[in-house]
Amino acid sequence: MSTSSEFQQAAESARHMTSAAVETTRRVEEKAVKDPIFTKIDILSSPSMRVALPFINGGAAGMVATTVIQPIDMIKVRLQLADEGVKNGPKPTPISVTRQILAQGKVLDLYAGLSAGLLRQAVYTTARLGFFDTLMGTLTRRATDKGQSVGFAERATAGLAAGGLGAMIGTPADLAMIRMQSDGLKPLADRKMYKSVVDAMISITKEEGVRRLWAGASPTIVRAMALNFGQLAFFSEAKQQLAPYDIGPRAKTLTASAVAGLFASLFSLPFDFVKTRLQKQSKRPDGKLPYKGSLDCFYKIATQEGWGRFYRGFGTYYFRIAPHA
C-alpha cells in the first residue's frame, strides 16, 4: 500500500471520528437544553467523577467542619502548650485559655491559623476520606466475590492506611497552623505575625529549611492512623451494630459519630500532644531544640510533667474530633 493511500485512509478515518464526535456533542447539547438535571446526573455518574467524588466530598466536608471548630482547635493547642516542662502549678482550663486569648486581642484571634487549617483539610481530609473510600470499595468487591462481608479488621486496615497517607501529605499545612496558633504566646518583639498559611510556609522555609515543614511528621502520621482507626473503623462498626435497632438514620449517624469520636480521641490524643510540641518548638539561644525527636518528647513530657499531661484537654479535643467523625 502506498504512503499516499495510507494518508488518505487516515484522513478519511479522522473525518469519520470527527463527525461522530461532533454528532455526539450536538446530542449532549440538545439533551442539556431539554433536560439539564438529567445531564448533571449523567456527568456525576461518569467513571471519572465516581472516582473523584469521594475525594471532593471528603475535602469539602472537612473544610466546613474546620471553619466551625477552629476556635476549639485553637484552645486545644494553647492547652497543650501551657506549662511546658512544669509538673505542678495552676491548671489551665478551656475557659481560662479563652479569656486569656480574648484579653490579648480580638475575638477573631480564636481563628488564628484558619487558612492553614483549611489548606490542611483540603489536602489531608480529601486524601484521607478518598483513600478510605477507595480502599473500602476494593475490599468490599473482593469480599462480595468470595460471598463474604467486610469485617472490622478490613475497615481498621483501610482506616490506618488512609490516615497515614493523608497525614504525610498534609504535614506542612499542619505545622504552619500550629506556628500561627502559637505565635501569640511569644513576646511581642519575637512574634512572626504570619499573614496567611502561604506566608508562614515561606517564612519557615527561608529561616529553617524545607525539611522543617515536615517536623513532627512521625507523630503526625501515627496520630492520624490512630485517629482514623477510631473514626472510620468504629464509625462503620457502630453503624453496623446499630442497624438492627429501630431508630432513625440521623440518630444512628449521630450515635455512631459520638462513639467514633470517643475512641478516636482516646487513641490519638497523646500523639497529637507530642506533634503539637514538636511543631511549635524553635531553637533556644544555645542553638539547640528543646526536643530531639518524638521519643525524646514523649520521655520529657512523661518525666517532667507526668503521664496525665498527655490527656490534658481531653474534653476539648473530643469536641474538636467528633464533628469530623
Side-chain angles (χ1 to χ4, degrees), residues 84-105:
E84 189 171 357
V86 179
K87 188 171 185 177
N88 299 316
K91 296 180 180 180
T93 65
I95 294 176
S96 66
V97 169
T98 303
R99 287 176 176 172
Q100 184 182 21
I101 295 172
L102 295 178
Q104 293 176 348

Side-chain angles (χ1 to χ4, degrees), residues 113-124 127 164-181 194 196-205 208-218 220-221 275 278-280:
L114 178 60
S115 61
L118 291 174
L119 176 61
R120 176 183 178 275
Q121 289 302 332
V123 176
Y124 167 68
L165 290 169
M168 175 58 74
I169 298 172
T171 295
D174 200 355
L175 182 137
M177 182 173 67
I178 296 298
R179 291 296 184 88
M180 294 174 76
Q181 290 177 324
Y194 301 116
S196 66
V197 60
V198 175
D199 180 42
M201 294 175 74
I202 292 175
S203 176
I204 294 167
T205 301
E208 305 174 49
V210 176
R211 291 181 59 186
R212 189 63 186 164
L213 291 174
W214 273 268
S218 295
T220 300
I221 292 172
K275 174 193 75 71
L278 287 175
Q279 292 180 333
K280 174 261 180 185

Side-chain angles (χ1 to χ4, degrees), residues 2-79:
S2 65
T3 303
S4 60
S5 297
E6 291 177 355
F7 280 142
Q8 286 177 358
Q9 288 187 2
E12 184 67 18
S13 176
R15 187 180 68 80
H16 283 302
M17 292 177 65
T18 302
S19 298
V22 170
E23 179 63 20
T24 301
T25 303
R26 184 184 64 78
R27 290 176 180 175
V28 170
E29 289 176 348
E30 291 177 353
K31 186 185 293 185
V33 172
K34 294 179 181 178
D35 194 349
I37 296 177
F38 176 82
T39 303
K40 291 179 181 178
I41 294 174
D42 191 51
I43 293 173
L44 290 175
S45 63
S46 65
S48 58
M49 284 302 296
R50 283 201 298 267
V51 173
L53 276 176
F55 293 83
I56 296 171
N57 291 337
M63 292 175 74
V64 171
T66 293
T67 303
V68 174
I69 67 171
Q70 184 66 16
I72 299 176
D73 189 77
M74 177 68 166
I75 295 168
K76 183 268 299 183
V77 169
R78 291 294 181 89
L79 284 170

Side-chain angles (χ1 to χ4, degrees), residues 70-320:
Q70 184 66 16
I72 299 176
D73 189 77
M74 177 68 166
I75 295 168
K76 183 268 299 183
V77 169
R78 291 294 181 89
L79 284 170
Q80 292 175 335
L81 297 176
D83 303 329
E84 189 171 357
V86 179
K87 188 171 185 177
N88 299 316
K91 296 180 180 180
T93 65
I95 294 176
S96 66
V97 169
T98 303
R99 287 176 176 172
Q100 184 182 21
I101 295 172
L102 295 178
Q104 293 176 348
K106 307 173 184 177
V107 175
L108 290 179
D109 286 349
L110 289 169
Y111 280 90
L114 178 60
S115 61
L118 291 174
L119 176 61
R120 176 183 178 275
Q121 289 302 332
V123 176
Y124 167 68
T125 305
T126 300
R128 176 177 70 97
L129 294 182
F131 282 131
F132 181 76
D133 189 83
T134 302
L135 290 171
M136 283 298 297
T138 301
L139 292 172
T140 301
R141 285 191 296 271
R142 289 180 180 178
T144 302
D145 292 340
K146 296 178 181 179
Q148 302 172 349
S149 59
V150 176
F152 179 77
E154 288 82 1
R155 285 193 290 271
T157 301
L160 290 171
L165 290 169
M168 175 58 74
I169 298 172
T171 295
D174 200 355
L175 182 137
M177 182 173 67
I178 296 298
R179 291 296 184 88
M180 294 174 76
Q181 290 177 324
S182 63
D183 196 48
L185 295 173
K186 298 177 181 178
L188 190 59
D190 297 334
R191 294 180 188 177
K192 301 294 183 181
M193 301 294 186
Y194 301 116
K195 298 176 182 177
S196 66
V197 60
V198 175
D199 180 42
M201 294 175 74
I202 292 175
S203 176
I204 294 167
T205 301
K206 286 182 178 179
E207 296 179 7
E208 305 174 49
V210 176
R211 291 181 59 186
R212 189 63 186 164
L213 291 174
W214 273 268
S218 295
T220 300
I221 292 172
V222 176
R223 174 236 186 219
M225 294 175 72
L227 190 67
N228 280 270
F229 177 74
Q231 278 187 332
L232 301 177
F234 278 91
F235 180 79
S236 298
E237 184 68 18
K239 287 195 75 173
Q240 189 176 61
Q241 295 297 327
L242 290 169
Y245 296 94
D246 187 21
I247 57 176
R250 181 174 297 180
K252 287 181 181 178
T253 300
L254 291 174
T255 303
S257 296
V259 173
L262 176 63
F263 281 99
S265 300
L266 286 171
F267 294 149
S268 66
L269 184 51
F271 301 105
D272 184 85
F273 198 99
V274 171
K275 174 193 75 71
T276 299
R277 290 287 181 91
L278 287 175
Q279 292 180 333
K280 174 261 180 185
Q281 69 173 343
S282 57
K283 290 183 179 180
R284 295 178 298 200
D286 59 3
K288 296 181 180 180
L289 292 170
Y291 308 109
K292 298 177 182 178
S294 300
L295 293 178
D296 183 53
C297 186
F298 264 109
Y299 175 77
K300 287 182 176 177
I301 292 173
T303 55
Q304 296 176 5
E305 305 175 39
W307 289 97
R309 187 61 61 89
F310 290 111
Y311 281 95
R312 170 183 278 180
F314 178 81
T316 304
Y317 186 67
Y318 174 76
F319 280 107
R320 181 219 180 281

